[in-house]
Amino acid sequence: MHEIVSEVLVIGAGPAGLAAAAAAADDGADVLVVDENPRPGGQIWRADRDVGVRSEAGELVTLATSLGARFLSGTAVFDAAGGRTLFAVNGHGPLALRTKRVVLALGATERQLPFPGWTLPGVFGVGGLQALGKSGLDVSTRRIAVAGSGPLLLAVAAWLERRGAKVLGVFEQAPKGDIVRFGRGLWRHPAKLMQAVHLLGSLFRVPCYHDAWPVRAEGREQVERLVLSVAGRELTLEVDYVACAFGFAPVTGLAALLGCAIEDARVQVDAFQRTSVEGVLCAGESTGIAGADCARAEGVVAGHMAAGREDLARTACRWRDRERRFGAALERTFALRDELRTLPATDTIVCRCEDVAWSALVSREDERDAKLQTRAGMGSCQGRVCGAALGFLKGWPRSRVRPPLIPVTMDVLAEVGAARHRLEESAS
Ligand SMILES: Cc1cc2nc3c(=O)[nH]c(=O)nc-3n(C[C@H](O)[C@H](O)[C@H](O)COP(=O)(O)OP(=O)(O)OC[C@H]3O[C@@H](n4cnc5c(N)ncnc54)[C@H](O)[C@@H]3O)c2cc1C
C-alpha cells in the first residue's frame, strides 16, 4: 500500500484545516492536508464548478503551499490504527498516512429533521441546494421556500435570489424575541453586524418569518406544495423546491474512532484545541457550531500547537475566545424548539437509506437498539443524516463508531486489514 509520511496531518481543508495547515507550516512543520472534496475550501468556501478554488481558500492554500505544505484532495480518511497511522482512499486506491500529530478539522453537516413529505424529490438541505447549484443545477426562476433554522437560511436565500430564483420566504423556527436579542447583541461583532445588514438588505423583497417551520410537503412525483406553521397559523405555498435544514451537527466519527472524548455530540478539546488523545488536536465545527471565523481561529491555535509552538497558539486564543462567544449566542438563539420533535408522522421515513419509518423507532431505547431491530443508521450514509435527527428527536447520543467510516470496496478493506496486521506484528 502506498504510504505518505508527514509530521502534521491535517484532515479537512475548510477554514479550520487550512488555517491550521498555514500556521503549522509557518512554524516549520512538514504538513500534509487531506480532504475528501475534489478541491480545498470546505463548505463555506465551496467554489462554483467553473471557478476552481474560491479566493479566501486560495489565499490560505497558496500561503501553506509556499511554506511547504502538501495537499491531497479527493481523499477520504476512513480508518485508523492508533493515532499515528490513518487509512484513506482515493481514486488510486488505499493509502496509509503516517504522522506524528493529527489535526482533525472535519466540519459539520446540516441537520435534517423528518416531516411528512421531506423525502419527495425537490426537497433539499439548505446548504445541499446551494452545493448543487454551484455544481450546475439551474435554480433560476424556481419558486423556492427556505425553512429551518440558523443564519445559513438567510445566506442561501440571498444566494438563490442572486441566481435568479424566486425565494417565496425564509421560515425560521426561532422565536421573535430571541432573534431580536441576538440582533441587538451584534454590535459586539461589527463585521458580523455588517454581514447581517448586507444580507437583509439583499433580501428586501423576500418575506422573512420567525416562529415558522414546515409541517408537510405534498406532491405526486415531486414536491408541489409546502404547508408551514407560521406563528400558529397554517400557510400553504406552491413550490418547485424546498430548502430545509435545522442547524448543523458536528462531524465526530473519525475523532470517536481515534478514541477522542465526545460529549454533547461534539469533540471535547481543552483551551489549546487538544483532544483527550495525545497528539490529536481538533479545530472548527467538529468542536461545536460557531461559524467560519471561529473555525479559522481554532485552526490557527491547533496548527501552532501541532507544530509545538504553544507561545504562538496562546496569542491566537484571544481571537478564538471572542469568536466562541459569538458561537454561544448563535447556539442560544437558534436552539431547536420542542414542537419540532412532533414533526414526523408515524409513517414518515426517518432513515432514508434503510427505509425505516418513525413508527418503528419511537419505542426503541437507544441508537444501538434501533440499529439491531430496524437497521436504522446502517445504510450507505452510516447514520450521518438520521443519526443527527434522532439525536434531537429522541435525545440519543451516537453509539460506538466502527470502521470503515464510509463504504469502501472489499479489496481496499483487505489491503487495510493486511497493513494493520503488519503494524501490529512490528509493534509486538
Ligand atoms: C452544507 C453546508 C453549507 C454551508 N454554507 C455556508 C454558507 O453559505 N455561508 C456560511 O457562512 N456558512 C456556511 N456553512 C457553515 C460553514 O461551513 C462553517 O461555518 C465553516 O465552513 C466551518 O469550517 P470547518 O473548517 O470547521 O468545516 P468545513 O468547512 O465543513 O470543512 C471540513 C472539511 O473536512 C472534510 N472532511 C470531513 N471528514 C473527512 C474525512 N474523513 N476525510 C477527508 N476529509 C474529510 C470535508 O470534506 C470538508 O471539506 C455551511 C455548512 C454546511 C454543512
Side-chain angles (χ1 to χ4, degrees), residues 119-368:
T119 52
L120 278 170
V123 181
F124 299 95
V126 175
L129 180 57
Q130 187 186 37
L132 281 173
K134 288 180 177 180
S135 312
L137 178 77
D138 184 11
V139 293
S140 61
T141 73
R142 303 283 180 218
R143 298 163 302 166
I144 304 177
V146 179
S149 196
L152 183 62
L153 304 189
L154 295 178
V156 172
W159 182 88
L160 288 167
E161 282 274 303
R162 285 201 299 280
R163 289 295 176 105
K166 176 153 183 42
V167 178
L168 303 175
V170 176
F171 300 89
E172 165 61 59
Q173 60 86 38
K176 182 179 179 185
D178 290 359
I179 298 171
V180 170
R181 208 167 306 120
F182 177 72
R184 285 203 189 118
L186 277 182
W187 64 268
R188 293 188 196 91
H189 308 275
K192 295 193 169 68
L193 177 62
M194 290 310 293
Q195 265 174 22
V197 169
H198 179 72
L199 267 182
L200 289 170
S202 65
L203 286 171
F204 72 97
R205 272 195 307 245
V206 176
C208 295
Y209 302 87
H210 49 83
D211 297 278
W213 57 88
V215 175
R216 63 182 178 277
E218 298 171 346
R220 286 163 68 88
E221 303 284 303
Q222 98 133 50
V223 66
E224 292 164 18
R225 275 172 307 284
L226 181 68
V227 181
L228 299 121
S229 166
V230 180
R233 294 181 173 203
E234 227 174 66
L235 173 70
T236 303
L237 297 173
E238 302 290 320
V239 296
D240 297 310
Y241 294 150
V242 173
C244 185
F246 294 85
F248 300 107
V251 173
T252 58
L254 186 55
L257 199 64
L258 292 174
C260 305
I262 315 281
E263 258 174 54
D264 199 14
R266 60 193 81 183
V267 181
Q268 297 300 299
V269 288
D270 69 5
F272 291 102
Q273 304 299 138
R274 290 176 291 214
T275 69
S276 58
V277 174
E278 171 80 34
V280 181
L281 299 112
C282 186
E285 301 219 304
S286 312
T287 69
I289 309 304
D293 293 335
C294 187
R296 205 170 158 167
E298 289 191 2
V300 173
V301 175
H304 286 311
M305 287 303 288
R309 292 298 306 266
E310 188 175 322
D311 54 329
L312 296 177
R314 198 176 287 279
T315 318
C317 282
R318 283 183 61 190
W319 170 30
R320 190 264 329 263
D321 292 345
R322 195 173 58 243
E323 294 299 337
R324 277 194 182 165
R325 284 194 285 279
F326 174 73
L330 271 182
E331 195 166 327
R332 276 195 304 278
T333 307
F334 299 103
L336 299 187
R337 53 170 70 222
D338 283 341
E339 290 100 311
L340 299 176
R341 289 185 225 277
T342 61
L343 277 184
T346 46
D347 60 348
T348 304
I349 295 293
V350 176
C351 170
R352 301 176 77 149
C353 300
E354 294 290 330
D355 263 353
V356 184
W358 181 230
S359 56
L361 293 164
V362 269
S363 59
R364 304 270 66 100
E365 277 172 20
D366 53 29
E367 196 186 80
R368 187 161 183 277

